[in-house]
């Protein structure tokens, strides 16, 4: 690169995002449990809608996502005019950093928070700041103590990835009330649908002008391969985000599948129930083998091992058995493995394999 041609401040400080592995060399019967995907895939209604959209691939999609925003608003009881759609919730996070943070500003998040907060902060030229967690749980006091007059965005995932833990509505409200006047609180609700009756902070947004919520179709809706997300917030904030959003950032095929998915709440209820049942089963099975985890509210558990070396060794053993999970040392959790909740057969394979690993250890 020429000495005179340089990227914007912060770009070269970004570590490339590492996605969950999907294959193991020399192993054919592989189960991918590294990316928190819905093992049952999308609903039949979403698949059918996507297939039908193929006949209109020569047409540009709408620029305002109005039908999708209307469907989301109807299901969740939200004002469609305050909804923005993007290529996964990642893009909404990028919009927020692009629009509200820059050189000299700070973007705050928890120490084990989603890696895109740091990446998007750097991309905007802002300074990422970590606040400690308390036993892998978001600590509101630590976040408030880390705020300065430079803080512009405060991100929390609730439930959090990769820990699976969450905080209650009163604590979230206390955080919203305590952040600096120039800061926005962003509630990342990627896993919100795994908790029955949870609004992910929507009610909190109605009474404040400093809170935004992000959501995704990549998890319980099984549409990770299509990259569809959305956000909800004060009208003034959504107006700002739409000014930096590309006019055709979602295809018609994406929107058609998402509309069908969000309208099929019976399928969502079934996926939630299956996840809850197998999450409890797997957590108990691993705990009985000496591998504890915190109570998870998402579609994964964070399995804790005695040492980083044991976690690495178990990961290698699981791969040899065709089971791909996620090392999370990059999230400051070197002695842990994040394990997506698969179907019953997959969960039983994980428990059997960890038992085999422990037995081999002696």
């Amino acid at each position: 690169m020429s000495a005179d041609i340089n990227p914007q401040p912060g770009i070269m400080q970004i570590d490339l995002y590492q996605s969950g592995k999907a294959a193991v060399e020399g192993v054919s019967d592989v189960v991918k449990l590294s990316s928190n995907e819905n093992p049952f895939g999308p609903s039949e209604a979403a698949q059918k809608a996507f297939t039908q959209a193929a006949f209109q691939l020569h047409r540009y999609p709408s620029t305002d996502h109005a039908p999708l925003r209307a469907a989301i608003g109807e299901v969740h009881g939200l004002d469609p005019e305050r909804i923005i759609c993007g290529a996964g919730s990642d893009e909404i996070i990028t919009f927020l950093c692009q629009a509200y943070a820059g050189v000299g500003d700070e973007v705050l998040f928890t120490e084990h928070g989603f890696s895109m907060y740091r990446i998007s902060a750097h991309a905007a030229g802002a300074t990422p700041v970590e606040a400690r967690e308390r036993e892998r749980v978001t600590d509101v006091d630590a976040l408030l103590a880390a705020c300065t007059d430079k803080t512009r965005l405060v991100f929390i995932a609730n439930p959090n990835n990769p820990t699976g833990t969450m905080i209650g509505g009163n604590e979230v409200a206390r955080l919203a009330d305590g952040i600096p006047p120039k800061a926005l609180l962003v509630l990342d609700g990627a896993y919100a649908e795994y908790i029955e009756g949870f609004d992910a902070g929507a009610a909190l947004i109605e009474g404040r002008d400093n809170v935004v919520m992000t959501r995704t179709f990549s998890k319980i809706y099984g549409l990770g391969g299509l990259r569809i997300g959305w956000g909800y917030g004060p009208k003034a904030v959504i107006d700002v985000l739409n000014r930096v959003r590309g006019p055709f950032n979602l295809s018609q095929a994406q929107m058609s599948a998402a509309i069908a998915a969000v309208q099929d709440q019976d399928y969502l209820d079934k996926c939630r129930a299956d996840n809850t049942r197998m999450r409890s089963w797997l957590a108990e099975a691993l705990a009985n083998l000496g591998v504890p985890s915190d109570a998870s509210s998402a579609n994964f558990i964070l399995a804790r091992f005695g040492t980083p070396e044991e976690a690495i060794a178990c990961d290698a053993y699981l791969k040899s058995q065709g089971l791909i999970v996620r090392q999370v040392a990059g999230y400051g959790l070197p002695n842990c493995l994040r394990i997506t909740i698969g179907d019953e057969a997959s969960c039983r394979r994980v428990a059997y394999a960890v038992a085999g690993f422990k037995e081999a250890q002696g």
Side-chain angles (χ1 to χ4, degrees), residues 278-300:
M278 292 315 304
R279 183 180 64 203
S280 297
W281 183 90
L282 183 60
E284 182 178 356
L286 295 187
N288 290 337
L289 295 170
V291 182
S293 59
D294 298 312
S296 173
S297 297
N299 68 333
F300 57 85

Side-chain angles (χ1 to χ4, degrees), residues 52-109:
Q52 291 176 336
F55 295 100
Q56 296 295 321
L57 294 182
H58 58 302
R59 302 296 186 192
Y60 278 97
S62 68
T63 62
D64 63 2
H65 315 136
L68 175 55
R69 290 189 293 108
I72 293 170
E74 182 177 3
V75 168
H76 293 285
L78 303 175
D79 178 3
E81 295 300 314
R82 296 169 61 186
I83 294 172
I84 182 173
C85 299
S89 54
D90 294 1
E91 189 174 38
I92 310 299
I93 292 168
T94 299
F95 293 158
L96 285 160
C97 289
Q98 182 182 358
Y100 288 101
V103 177
D105 297 328
E106 294 178 349
V107 175
L108 178 61
F109 46 86

Side-chain angles (χ1 to χ4, degrees), residues 24 31 36 42 56 161-162 166 176 188 192 262:
V24 179
V31 177
N36 299 341
Q56 296 295 321
N161 171 28
M166 67 181 299
D188 181 346
V262 76

